[in-house]
């Protein structure tokens, strides 16, 4: 056997041994990382099991209050602050995530890195010390960069999650105030209403129709009825009806409870499995790319082995030479920087969305947003300003209009052209009093003199109208105190309150949607007291007001038994007396009108789904510019249609009125079945199923319930429709930027690999690039050029093209074609200049320095090409539009000067100084890629122009 053959076998054996070693390390490190994760979780659970558990459900309410030294008015602010310092904030302990060491180690737990490590070890065994040191150095730097970037991305997400901190309504100093849920202390008295997330463990003191969904604790998704009676000590958790546990959701009714435990002391704190819930920094596209990376690595290893054999058997290389060449090939072809760049691009995108008021709760939504074809939006507050004013009041005899703007309670009542004195109209005054008392809002004048409403803006507007008529709100509520209520729910669409006067009168006031209220009324207020209800007349009046874009509200009254202290649905079912209709104006948001236009240009259909009257909805739909505002489907009509018929109708109809959350769910399902990707907004507790079902559920940050936020993928910090359009734009941009990063990085690897492969094929003994030089190119361009693409702003036409097809693969034919030919250009240029230098008699160091700098220069020019996938960059915006690109290029040039001229770098990388003339040649050759790719784009654009419209849309995405 020849000596070289022995060497080959030795090296092959060595390779195998090292590969096995690498796999062993992979398994051990991986196991260690996983173990670390599990340990973190176990220790968290163990820590919390120590907390004692008082049997709160066994205490009567007075005992519970006594135990915590609290009262029916709650705590004073001072006492609460003191308790907060003893008990600490009401927060679950931060999930114990991996420590920095484990996180750092995890950076090495990657197949690509194992290949590099094996390469480094073998290189060292072959006594190429310098190369080995550089390879290990690069692995280390890669890990540090990964570590830092991952940390930054995690911090960014954590900060965004912090923006969604829940609030709680609590009595302090005898007043109901809203505080950060973290500020709750044992002894606080908390108010609950449907849609709230229970902020701490509570011993319930009041409950009215209270139902709570306790799935996070018990796994049971059917809501449980709650009460206040004490229970035997052995009652299991799921049956403790007088307790409300932190993290569960109020699905119905009202209640109040005493805070018994906070933070880690709560039931959820004890069984917290938060570690398992820590969100991975990944999305479907990132997973697809990671998968692609693994395949690529396998393919590269095969290619490296084949070329190893080819080199030795056909080209007479020594095994050592060939091994280094194969290492070079593997290093060249593996896109080491890609995963980190993708993660950071995603994190930057999410941060940018938060800056535009769209807070992402689940990362995959970022990608889905770019595919959204239909947005179903609420009306009130989302498309309109939710700044309501009463514009008209219709009593039995008179139709009055009101002047004045906003919440300023100065204005006049007019009848036709005449000013009216409302105090002189007893029936009008009665209607206004009813509207002001059957009301939970509060009107306040701030120190600056401006008027503010606390609570529902529509109820606030009713208060403003009452004050305009001279009603003293405080005196009225003192004179007719409220003893009970049926709160408003979108299911029954009315609110009722029970009042008793000190004079012994007792009556019910009720306000709500006219369809609901008219059905309960038998009479109407008349000069003689009462007259039978003229239903048709009132219905015509409702239609007329709604057609003017007003939200219409009916107000009614009914006497009650003097001794009654509770109000039931049966009490308000029949025999009410209608007092008046109120017409409220809520103008559309200017930004929403613009955003609807933007969406339509972007091929996204906007549909309005509202609880309001059909005529009101149509009027507002026309004002915001929906495509088909005249055709409205109501909830009742919807119910009459079967699935097939509704699917058909849903394609054309853009306005859905008087719908319930169940209708929303059905609509989302049917729209999805007809192939659309649907975003749906919602705010109420009952919207949760529709939000969950939608491809992108969007909850309102200001007016939305916690239940809706929990179910949503995205939360709008400003409740504004325009923010959805912005989020779609950012979603499209993030996806573009992820694709641009791939489009930029892969040809670089392709070019390098082809250079090495070409050298092997042609039997070069001096390779144009050494493994360490290749590593240098990959690392240095990943942290400068590729990273700059993550900051790429939206392309000018990003909202002028139709939504991306969700099923379209990342690597489209156009992509693969560009990656292939750019790789070839890079190879030809780099090889060409290397050979030219060699031919001119330059040293191998100089020729390699030229090759490296040519490659880098190619990448700089190609970076500009990559800024726009199909649009031209040969303009001012194309070159200067992203300042990070310019910084990155500047920084990279400095690095290259150091790489070329600094003696330590020359020693490390085997480079040598080159002259100015050579630089000029490099720049001229490298600039070719810019023009060739732009030419290809221009030809592509012309080709697409000639296509018929439908196939053009499909081709744009590719
Ligand atoms: P959108 O879907 O456009 O946001 P919405 O969600 O406000 O509309 P709902 O809240 O379901 O719709 O209200 C439906 C109807 O119920 C309203 O048109 C109004 O007539 C009535 N309504 C709304 N709020 C109250 C309230 N606080 N008290 C009494 N009635 C109300």
């Amino acid at each position: 056997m020849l000596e070289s053959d022995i060497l080959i076998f030795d090296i092959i054996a060595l390779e195998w041994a090292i590969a096995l070693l690498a796999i062993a390390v992979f398994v051990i490190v991986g196991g260690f990382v996983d173990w670390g994760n599990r340990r973190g979780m176990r220790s968290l659970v163990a820590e919390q099991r120590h907390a004692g558990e008082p049997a709160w459900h066994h205490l009567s309410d007075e005992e519970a209050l006594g135990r915590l030294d609290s009262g029916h008015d709650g705590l004073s602010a001072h006492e609460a602050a003191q308790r907060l310092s003893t008990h600490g904030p009401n927060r679950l302990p931060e999930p114990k995530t991996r420590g920095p060491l484990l996180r750092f180690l995890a950076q090495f737990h990657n197949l690509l890195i194992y290949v590099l490590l094996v390469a480094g070890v073998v290189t060292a065994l072959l006594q190429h010390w310098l190369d080995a040191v550089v390879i290990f150095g690069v692995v280390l730097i890669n890990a540090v960069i990964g570590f830092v970037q991952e940390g930054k991305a995690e911090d960014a997400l954590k900060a965004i999650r912090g923006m969604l901190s829940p609030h709680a309504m609590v009595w302090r100093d005898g007043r109901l105030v809203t505080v950060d849920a973290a500020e709750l202390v044992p002894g606080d008295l908390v108010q609950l209403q449907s849609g709230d997330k229970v902020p701490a463990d509570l011993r319930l003191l009041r409950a009215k129709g209270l139902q709570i969904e306790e799935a996070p604790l018990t796994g049971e998704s059917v809501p449980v009825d709650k009460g206040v009676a004490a229970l035997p000590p052995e009652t299991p958790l799921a049956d403790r009806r007088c307790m409300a546990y932190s993290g569960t959701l109020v699905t119905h009714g009202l209640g109040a409870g005493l805070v018994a435990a906070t933070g880690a002391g709560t039931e959820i704190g004890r069984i917290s499995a938060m570690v398992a819930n820590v969100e991975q920094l990944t999305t479907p596209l990132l997973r697809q790319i990671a998968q692609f990376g693994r395949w690529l690595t396998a393919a590269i290893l095969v290619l490296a082995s084949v070329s190893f054999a080819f080199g030795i058997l056909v080209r007479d290389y020594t095994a050592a030479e060939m091994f280094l060449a194969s290492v070079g090939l593997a290093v060249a072809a593996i896109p080491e920087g890609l995963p980190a760049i993708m993660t950071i691009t995603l994190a930057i995108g999410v941060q940018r969305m938060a800056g535009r008021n769209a807070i992402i709760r689940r990362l995959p939504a970022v990608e889905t947003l770019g595919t959204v074809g239909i947005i179903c939006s609420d009306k009130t507050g989302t498309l309109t300003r939710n700044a309501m004013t009463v514009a008209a009041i219709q009593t039995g005899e008179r139709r009055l209009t009101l002047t004045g703007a906003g919440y300023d309670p100065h204005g006049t009542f007019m009848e036709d052209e005449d000013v009216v004195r409302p105090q002189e109209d007893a029936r009008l005054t009665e209607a206004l009093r009813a509207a002001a008392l059957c009301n939970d809002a509060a009107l306040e004048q701030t120190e600056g003199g401006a008027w503010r409403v606390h609570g529902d803006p529509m109820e606030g507007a009713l208060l403003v109208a009452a004050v305009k008529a001279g009603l003293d709100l405080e005196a009225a509520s003192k004179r007719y105190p409220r003893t009970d209520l049926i709160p408003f729910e979108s299911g029954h669409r009315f609110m009722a309150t029970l009042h008793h006067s000190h004079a012994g009168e007792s009556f019910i006031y009720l306000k709500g949607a006219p369809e609901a209220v008219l059905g309960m009324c038998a009479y109407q207020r008349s000069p003689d007291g009462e007259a039978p209800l003229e239903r048709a007349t009132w219905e015509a009046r409702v239609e007329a007001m709604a057609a003017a874009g007003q939200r219409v509200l009916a107000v009614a009254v009914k006497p009650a038994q003097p001794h009654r202290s509770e109000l039931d649905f049966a009490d308000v079912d029949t025999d009410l007396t209608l007092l008046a209709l109120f017409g409220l104006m809520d103008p559309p948001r200017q930004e929403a009108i613009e955003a609807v236009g933007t969406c339509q240009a972007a091929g996204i259909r906007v549909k309005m789904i509202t609880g309001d009257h059909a005529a009101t909805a149509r009027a507002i739909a026309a004002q915001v510019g929906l495509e088909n505002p005249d055709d409205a489907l109501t909830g009742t009509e919807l119910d009459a249609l079967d699935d097939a018929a509704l699917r058909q109708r849903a394609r054309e109809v853009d306005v859905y009125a008087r719908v319930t959350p169940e209708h929303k769910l059905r609509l989302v399902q049917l729209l999805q079945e007809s192939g659309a990707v649907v975003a749906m907004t919602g705010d109420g507790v009952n919207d949760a199923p529709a939000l969950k079902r939608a491809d992108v559920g969007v909850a309102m940050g200001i007016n939305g319930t916690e239940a809706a936020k929990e179910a949503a993928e995205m939360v709008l910090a400003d409740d504004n429709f325009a923010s959805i359009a912005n989020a779609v734009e950012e979603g499209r941009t993030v996806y573009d930027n992820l694709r641009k990063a791939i489009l930029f990085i892969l040809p670089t690897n392709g070019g390098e690999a082809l250079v090495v492969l070409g050298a092997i094929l042609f039997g070069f003994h001096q390779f144009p690039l050494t493994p360490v030089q290749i590593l240098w190119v990959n690392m240095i361009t990943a942290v400068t050029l590729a990273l700059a693409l993550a900051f790429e702003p939206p392309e000018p036409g990003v909202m002028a093209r139709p939504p991306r097809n969700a099923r379209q693969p990342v690597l489209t034919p156009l992509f693969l074609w560009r990656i292939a030919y750019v790789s070839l250009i890079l190879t030809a240029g780099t090889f060409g200049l290397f050979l030219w230098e060699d031919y001119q008699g330059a040293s191998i160091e100089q020729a390699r320095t030229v090759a490296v700098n040519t490659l880098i220069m190619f990448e700089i020019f190609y970076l500009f090409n990559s800024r726009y996938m199909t649009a031209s960059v040969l303009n001012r915006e194309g070159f200067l539009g992203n300042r990070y690109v310019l910084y990155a290029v500047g920084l990279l040039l400095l690095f290259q000067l150091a790489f070329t001229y600094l003696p330590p770098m020359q020693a490390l990388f085997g480079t040598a100084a080159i002259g100015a003339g050579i630089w000029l040649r490099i720049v001229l050759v490298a600039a070719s890629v810019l023009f060739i790719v732009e030419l290809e784009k221009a030809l592509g654009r012309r080709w697409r122009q000639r296509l018929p419209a439908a196939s053009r849309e499909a081709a744009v995405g590719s």
Side-chain angles (χ1 to χ4, degrees):
M1 206 185 276
L2 289 174
E3 200 182 320
S4 66
D5 288 343
I6 296 172
L7 190 63
I8 294 171
F9 285 120
D10 280 355
I11 288 184
I12 291 177
L14 193 69
E15 257 191 344
W16 271 102
I18 291 169
L20 286 176
L21 193 74
I23 292 170
V25 176
F26 185 86
V27 172
I28 293 168
V29 175
F32 187 51
V33 171
D34 286 349
W35 171 78
N37 286 342
R38 282 199 304 272
R39 199 181 64 108
M41 188 156 99
R42 263 204 307 273
S43 66
L44 179 71
V45 174
E47 226 167 70
Q48 287 161 353
R49 210 164 272 156
H50 293 307
E53 189 211 351
W56 287 99
H57 57 278
H58 186 49
L59 303 180
S60 73
D61 30 351
E62 291 308 325
E63 281 167 340
L65 284 168
R67 184 165 178 166
L68 286 172
D69 219 359
S70 185
H72 287 280
D73 285 345
L75 299 174
S76 69
H78 177 71
E79 175 65 23
Q82 267 188 347
R83 291 191 188 193
L84 189 62
S85 60
T86 4
H87 291 271
N90 173 33
R91 235 180 255 132
L92 287 184
E94 279 280 302
K96 282 223 170 99
T97 43
R98 295 171 298 177
L101 180 69
L102 270 169
R103 250 184 55 213
F104 184 68
L105 269 183
Q107 303 298 324
F108 295 92
H109 185 40
N110 174 330
L111 200 53
L112 303 183
I113 300 296
Y114 285 96
V115 173
L116 280 185
L117 286 176
V118 173
V121 172
V122 178
T123 316
L125 289 177
L126 293 173
Q127 302 193 346
H128 286 265
W129 299 116
L130 204 61
D131 288 353
V133 166
V134 174
I135 293 180
F136 288 127
V138 164
V139 168
L140 201 67
I141 293 172
N142 195 48
V144 171
I145 292 172
F147 177 76
V148 173
Q149 289 190 340
E150 198 183 277
K152 276 201 184 140
E154 272 178 11
D155 287 349
L157 289 184
K158 222 188 262 170
I160 286 162
R161 245 174 266 139
M163 295 167 83
L164 288 174
S165 65
H167 289 85
M169 292 215 286
V170 56
W171 272 274
R172 292 270 170 86
D173 292 322
R175 278 181 41 208
L176 196 58
V177 290
T178 305
V179 299
D180 211 325
E183 289 170 25
L184 288 185
V185 291
D188 260 330
L189 202 61
V190 172
Q191 158 114 330
L192 295 176
Q193 63 186 35
S194 80
D196 284 354
K197 191 169 168 179
V198 178
D201 282 3
L202 308 178
R203 168 67 174 86
L204 292 169
L205 304 181
R206 282 199 287 279
K208 185 167 171 65
L210 189 64
Q211 288 181 347
I212 296 187
E213 196 228 286
E214 299 187 325
L217 268 188
T218 60
E220 176 56 63
S221 62
V222 179
V224 190
D225 285 318
K226 292 287 176 179
V228 294
L231 296 162
E234 66 279 4
T235 315
L237 188 85
D239 296 333
R240 293 185 199 156
R241 295 187 53 218
C242 62
M243 298 292 294
Y245 290 106
S246 178
T248 57
L249 282 172
V250 183
T251 54
H252 192 265
L254 283 176
L258 175 75
V259 174
T262 59
T266 59
E267 286 298 328
I268 194 88
R270 269 170 239 225
I271 59 161
S272 176
M274 295 286 282
V275 177
N277 290 337
V278 170
E279 191 173 13
Q280 296 291 311
L281 274 169
T282 189
T283 68
L285 175 64
L286 261 59
R287 276 197 293 275
Q288 219 176 320
I289 293 298
Q291 173 79 7
F292 169 74
R294 284 193 285 276
W295 280 108
L296 194 67
T297 310
I300 291 164
L301 288 179
V302 171
L303 187 69
S305 310
V306 170
S307 55
F308 182 82
F310 174 85
I312 289 170
L313 302 175
V314 183
R315 286 287 178 225
D316 282 346
Y317 285 105
T318 67
E321 252 180 336
M322 214 34 242
F323 184 80
L324 277 187
S326 305
V327 168
L329 182 61
V331 168
I334 295 173
E336 294 92 351
L338 193 57
I341 296 291
M342 304 275 283
T343 309
I344 203 85
T345 305
L346 190 72
I348 289 172
V350 172
Q351 236 173 344
R352 231 168 18 191
M353 287 185 184
R356 298 178 79 178
N357 290 321
I359 301 162
I360 296 292
R361 292 189 67 243
R362 297 197 181 87
L363 281 179
V366 179
E367 283 168 18
T368 320
L369 272 169
T371 60
V372 165
I374 295 179
I375 302 178
C376 298
S377 173
D378 277 352
K379 173 176 71 68
T380 312
T382 314
L383 289 167
T384 65
R385 290 194 210 147
N386 208 7
M388 304 226 190
T389 37
V390 176
I393 300 178
Q394 173 77 58
T395 61
E397 309 77 39
R398 303 175 92 176
R399 181 180 157 79
L400 302 161
T401 52
L402 278 77
T403 65
Y407 295 131
D408 185 345
H410 295 95
T412 40
F413 285 65
M414 316 275 293
E415 187 173 23
D416 300 324
E417 300 295 305
D418 308 325
V419 175
V420 171
R421 285 177 55 80
Q423 296 88 335
E424 291 168 4
D425 184 335
R427 288 177 294 285
L428 173 64
T429 318
E430 185 189 11
L432 284 163
R433 190 186 320 117
L437 291 180
C438 182
N439 197 313
D440 281 330
L443 185 65
E444 179 199 50
Q445 188 168 26
T446 58
E447 278 172 18
W451 290 86
R452 260 182 64 187
V453 158
H454 296 274
D456 181 359
M458 187 190 68
E459 296 196 333
L462 297 176
L463 295 182
V464 172
V467 178
K468 277 182 189 169
L471 198 81
D472 181 341
L473 295 179
E474 220 177 304
S477 54
K478 283 213 177 101
R479 195 165 153 209
Y480 304 106
R482 181 198 290 186
T483 38
D484 199 17
L485 90 158
I486 298 175
F488 172 78
E489 300 255 355
S490 50
H492 54 249
R493 294 207 185 96
F494 69 83
M495 164 179 178
T497 47
L498 177 64
H499 301 264
H500 294 270
S501 79
H502 303 298
E505 301 159 274
S506 183
F507 50 86
I508 300 163
Y509 279 146
L510 183 140
K511 75 176 194 312
E515 296 97 312
V517 180
L518 284 178
M520 304 170 178
C521 292
Y523 315 101
Q524 64 191 52
R525 188 56 90 224
S526 69
D528 322 323
E530 264 166 24
L533 182 76
E534 295 162 27
R535 192 167 174 146
T537 313
W538 286 101
E539 276 170 354
R541 289 167 171 171
V542 170
E543 281 298 325
M545 288 169 106
Q550 295 175 358
R551 159 172 279 213
V552 190
L553 208 64
V555 178
V557 67
K558 183 179 178 181
Q561 310 282 342
H563 59 269
R564 276 209 72 106
S565 60
E566 287 214 352
L567 199 54
D568 290 328
F569 280 90
D571 298 325
V572 294
D573 246 6
T574 49
D575 292 342
L576 272 87
T577 305
L578 185 64
L579 297 177
L581 295 176
F582 284 70
L584 293 114
M585 285 306 285
D586 179 17
R589 291 175 184 261
Q590 190 53 37
E591 322 87 272
I593 298 177
E594 283 154 26
V596 166
T598 311
C599 286
Q600 281 160 354
I604 301 169
R605 187 98 180 227
V606 181
K607 295 183 186 277
M608 177 201 280
I609 305 207
T610 173
D612 218 332
H613 193 281
T616 315
R618 272 198 300 264
I620 299 289
Q623 288 173 25
V624 292
L626 294 197
E627 234 165 273
N628 179 12
D630 302 325
D631 202 1
L633 258 186
T634 63
T636 328
E637 289 164 346
L638 239 135
D639 285 332
L641 294 173
D642 66 15
D643 279 357
L646 180 58
R647 204 175 298 125
Q648 187 69 27
R649 288 284 280 141
R651 269 194 220 134
E652 305 119 41
V653 176
D654 286 345
V655 182
Y656 300 85
R658 290 292 189 226
V659 289
T660 61
E662 294 73 47
H663 293 130
K664 281 190 176 184
L665 179 62
R666 185 164 171 226
L667 270 173
V668 169
Q669 278 168 340
L670 291 180
L671 288 169
Q672 283 175 329
E673 277 166 25
S674 41
V677 178
V678 185
M680 163 77 82
T681 66
D683 46 16
V685 55
N686 300 330
D687 287 336
L691 291 177
K692 272 196 194 137
R693 171 71 203 220
D695 298 280
V696 182
V698 185
M700 300 299 145
I702 305 172
N703 284 328
T705 56
E706 288 300 324
K709 288 182 207 169
E710 294 263 304
E713 267 84 28
M714 184 166 95
V715 176
L716 299 183
D718 60 353
D719 291 11
N720 190 341
F721 178 81
S723 300
I724 309 179
N726 291 340
V728 169
E729 182 180 357
E730 289 295 347
R732 289 183 174 195
T733 307
V734 172
Y735 196 82
D736 279 357
N737 290 355
L738 290 172
R739 294 183 83 210
K740 284 174 191 175
I742 302 170
L743 195 59
F744 172 71
I745 290 178
L746 289 188
T748 314
N749 295 101
E752 288 167 349
L754 284 179
V755 167
V756 178
L757 215 54
I760 298 174
L761 275 181
F762 295 121
F764 278 45
H765 278 268
Q766 304 275 31
F767 281 74
L769 302 165
T770 65
V772 292
Q773 288 171 346
I774 291 170
L775 273 179
W776 164 263
V777 175
N778 286 356
M779 292 309 302
I780 210 71
T781 54
V783 296
T784 53
L785 304 186
L787 194 58
L789 280 182
F791 294 92
E792 201 49 50
E795 279 194 29
V798 71
M799 288 302 268
R801 60 184 195 218
R804 167 171 58 88
N805 179 349
R807 280 190 289 276
Q808 176 194 301
V810 194
L811 296 174
T812 55
L814 176 72
F815 246 62
L816 291 172
W817 154 240
R818 191 174 293 166
I819 290 170
Y821 83 75
V822 173
S823 300
L824 285 174
I825 297 174
L826 264 58
T827 312
T830 309
F831 230 125
L833 282 186
F834 171 79
L835 288 180
W836 173 264
E837 289 301 320
D838 198 36
Y839 183 69
Q840 299 286 316
S843 69
I844 182 68
E845 284 79 17
Q846 274 181 324
R848 282 179 175 156
T849 310
V850 170
V852 169
N853 281 320
T854 309
L855 206 52
I856 295 272
M857 232 17 119
F858 265 130
E859 290 195 42
I860 290 179
F861 283 109
Y862 181 54
L863 179 68
F864 288 98
N865 293 126
S866 305
R867 289 201 54 217
Y868 301 153
M869 272 179 293
T870 49
S872 169
V873 291
L874 298 179
N875 49 53
R876 199 185 137 81
E877 187 56 31
F879 285 107
L880 305 178
N882 178 353
R883 66 196 152 101
Y884 295 102
V885 164
L886 303 178
Y887 297 154
V889 169
L891 195 66
L892 182 56
L893 288 177
L894 285 180
F895 275 125
Q896 280 319 107
L897 289 179
F899 177 83
T900 311
Y901 296 105
L902 278 189
M905 298 287 267
Q906 291 175 339
L908 209 56
F909 290 100
T911 52
I914 52 174
I918 303 183
W919 277 108
L920 186 64
R921 202 157 41 230
I922 292 175
V923 172
L924 286 179
V925 169
S928 62
V929 73
L930 178 70
F931 298 104
I932 295 174
V933 175
E934 288 308 308
L935 184 68
E936 177 248 320
K937 284 190 201 170
L939 292 175
R941 284 194 301 269
R942 277 201 27 205
W943 171 73
R944 275 192 299 276
Q945 280 301 317
R946 295 222 195 94
L947 288 178
S951 34
R952 194 184 310 151
E953 289 187 0
V956 169
S958 60

